[in-house]
Amino acid sequence: MGLVVQKYGGTSVANIEKIENVARKVIKAKNEGNDVVVVLSAMAGETDRLIKLAQQAAEDYDTREYDNLISTGEQVTISLLSLVLNRLGYPARSFLGFQVRILTDQDYTQARILGVEDQVLRKELEKGKIAVVAGFQGVDSDNNITTLGRGGSDTSAVALAAALSADVCEIYTDVDGVYTTDPNICSNARLLNKISYDEMLEMARAGAKVLQPRSVELAKKFEVPVYVKSSFSDEGGTLVTKEDKDMEREVVSGVTYDRDQAKITVVRVPDKAGVAARLFTPLAEHNIVVDMIIQNASLEGYTDLTFTISKKDVKETKRLIEEVAKEVGAAKVEVDDQVAKVSIIGVGMISHSGVAAKMFSTLAQEGINIMMISTSEIKISCVIHSKYTELAVMVLHDAFELEKSS
Ligand code: ADP
Ligand code: ASP
Ligand code: MG
């Protein structure tokens, strides 16, 4: 007898028929002798709908109220699944984040989990019940509801699996596992049976939204085996786990893209000590994550400074940067949100030369201009015009022969 945490995403709970399909999978795990904790997302499209409503209600919304609102989609699905399970003779109880006590910091809209209490859920499991928990939400130390960032139900599931020392955390979604690239935009994408935490983390951070990056960080930290599977078929499945000897050590094992990017350029910044610190400190104070940064060579005592952020932060960043730009005497601030980031990832890259050159020449052959580049030991990313995203992913997937099984 084991303890299984199962998480179902938005498309898996999009209507009552699909929720009944989830109930069948939960019951199967229960009948196999497991204790089962289920974590759910809101119905597909619901969180987007709530976000639009918030924006209509107030352009510069209060983030506490915003989180209170956008966390409600999950309350609907957990109650519906519990109703279905109870009807089918499998006692179940639904729980919101604050009822479990999924404790977070107070960084509304992108809160981090600080701790998860296991007592409430353990009590239910001891009574033989199925616990159904709202993903994406937590509670801060002042009892305010917080949310964990888009895709945050993955993180809720892994955090619960870690707190309960579950045997496995199963992430059920609309594809049957983790592929070499997004199977919805590249038909040659190949399913991976296993992937290491480190590679999955880089892929998630670089935009492969099948798992939220923070969920992989937690899985790695607490060594939670994560199994990504389809809600709609029993085929496939990818195990995210510690790197082992029989794992593929491909030079490049995946291609990702991220359209949630915007490029900000501060033009003609005086090239003096302390200017970069003055520009980026207000962003840090407002919890705005800066991804890539490029500073051009100094010309006559001036330089251009370009960086990327998430699209959702454009307005606030522009406001903050324009203020500092004026103070330090920069010429102007330019915003380009028609950009995307494409990345290639692979642990084998560390020991191979020529990978970056191959990436750049592949993009050049298609006439795709590279605006920014960044590299880490196991990743190379390029910022390009967003209209070339699909093309770039497909030609890179081809160039690195990812459709072939090794
Ligand atoms: P859920 O609502 O179940 O959480 P998401 O939409 O968040 O589902 O994540 C699943 C999606 O991730 C897939 O439909 C697919 O388009 C996308 N995706 C991007 N990169 C990959 C990849 N490398 N492997 C699998 N899916 C990927
Ligand atoms: N419902 C939330 C979202 O759409 C959380 C999730 O799906 O994981 O981002
Ligand atoms: Mg998701």
Side-chain angles (χ1 to χ4, degrees), residues 7-12 41-42 44 150-151 153-154 171-185 189-192 200 203 207-212 228-229 231 238 254-257:
K7 177 258 168 176
Y8 294 88
T11 43
S12 313
S41 294
R150 299 307 305 269
S153 303
D154 300 329
I171 305 282
Y172 288 93
T173 181
D174 57 358
V175 288
D176 57 2
V178 179
Y179 281 75
T180 46
T181 192
D182 186 345
N184 286 324
I185 73 160
R190 177 169 53 89
L191 181 71
L192 302 165
M200 188 65 241
M203 281 184 65
K209 73 180 172 102
V210 62
L211 288 175
Q212 198 196 36
V228 181
K229 296 179 177 190
S231 289
T238 303
V255 178
T256 61
Y257 65 93

Side-chain angles (χ1 to χ4, degrees), residues 274-302:
V275 173
R278 281 186 66 184
L279 283 164
F280 290 109
T281 303
L283 302 186
E285 282 168 359
H286 287 77
N287 289 319
I288 294 169
V289 177
V290 175
D291 186 2
M292 292 189 203
I293 303 177
I294 290 186
Q295 185 174 330
N296 290 350
S298 179
L299 207 69
E300 294 160 5
Y302 291 93

Side-chain angles (χ1 to χ4, degrees), residues 65-328:
E65 303 316 317
Y66 176 89
D67 272 4
N68 233 347
L69 173 69
I70 70 164
S71 59
T72 57
E74 277 72 12
Q75 183 163 357
V76 173
T77 51
I78 57 168
S79 314
L80 288 172
L81 177 65
S82 302
L83 286 168
V84 171
L85 286 168
N86 284 318
R87 186 194 84 210
L88 295 173
Y90 286 81
R93 284 193 83 185
S94 60
F95 295 91
L96 293 165
F98 81 88
Q99 292 171 315
V100 176
R101 292 210 74 75
I102 299 178
L103 293 162
T104 74
D105 61 19
Q106 210 175 58
D107 189 9
Y108 297 117
T109 78
Q110 49 183 0
R112 284 172 80 89
I113 296 178
L114 301 176
V116 176
E117 289 182 18
D118 63 345
Q119 292 307 314
V120 175
L121 296 183
R122 285 209 193 275
K123 232 184 251 166
E124 294 305 317
L125 298 177
E126 275 161 23
K127 289 185 215 153
K129 293 194 180 173
I130 295 163
V132 186
V133 182
F136 183 50
Q137 58 175 263
V139 64
D140 71 10
S141 53
D142 295 329
N143 276 332
N144 300 300
I145 291 172
T146 55
T147 64
L148 309 177
R150 299 307 305 269
S153 303
D154 300 329
T155 303
S156 311
V158 175
L160 283 170
L164 294 162
S165 308
D167 296 286
V168 64
C169 179
E170 298 173 342
I171 305 282
Y172 288 93
T173 181
D174 57 358
V175 288
D176 57 2
V178 179
Y179 281 75
T180 46
T181 192
D182 186 345
N184 286 324
I185 73 160
C186 181
S187 54
N188 286 337
R190 177 169 53 89
L191 181 71
L192 302 165
N193 299 322
K194 253 191 204 181
I195 184 168
S196 68
Y197 291 124
D198 288 327
E199 274 182 314
M200 188 65 241
L201 190 54
E202 288 286 3
M203 281 184 65
R205 283 183 181 150
K209 73 180 172 102
V210 62
L211 288 175
Q212 198 196 36
R214 182 83 185 116
S215 72
V216 189
E217 275 170 37
L218 282 183
K220 182 183 171 185
K221 183 169 173 192
F222 296 102
E223 294 193 3
V224 178
V226 174
Y227 208 6
V228 181
K229 296 179 177 190
S230 165
S231 289
F232 310 110
S233 115
D234 291 328
E235 305 294 305
T238 303
L239 182 64
V240 187
T241 182
K242 274 201 288 196
E243 196 178 339
D244 62 33
K245 281 198 294 293
D246 61 303
M247 226 171 236
E248 297 173 18
R249 258 190 97 83
E250 300 285 341
V251 177
V252 174
S253 55
V255 178
T256 61
Y257 65 93
D258 187 354
R259 286 198 183 90
D260 180 27
Q261 296 275 310
K263 183 164 71 75
I264 313 277
T265 305
V266 194
V267 182
R268 264 179 83 81
V269 185
D271 192 12
K272 280 194 276 191
V275 173
R278 281 186 66 184
L279 283 164
F280 290 109
T281 303
L283 302 186
E285 282 168 359
H286 287 77
N287 289 319
I288 294 169
V289 177
V290 175
D291 186 2
M292 292 189 203
I293 303 177
I294 290 186
Q295 185 174 330
N296 290 350
S298 179
L299 207 69
E300 294 160 5
Y302 291 93
T303 164
D304 289 351
L305 216 145
T306 305
F307 60 94
T308 57
I309 51 166
S310 162
K311 279 197 169 82
K312 72 173 169 31
D313 293 325
V314 164
K315 223 172 125 194
E316 200 176 7
T317 304
K318 192 162 178 275
R319 182 179 62 79
L320 294 166
I321 290 290
E322 272 174 349
E323 240 170 65
V324 188
K326 216 185 260 168
E327 286 165 22
V328 300

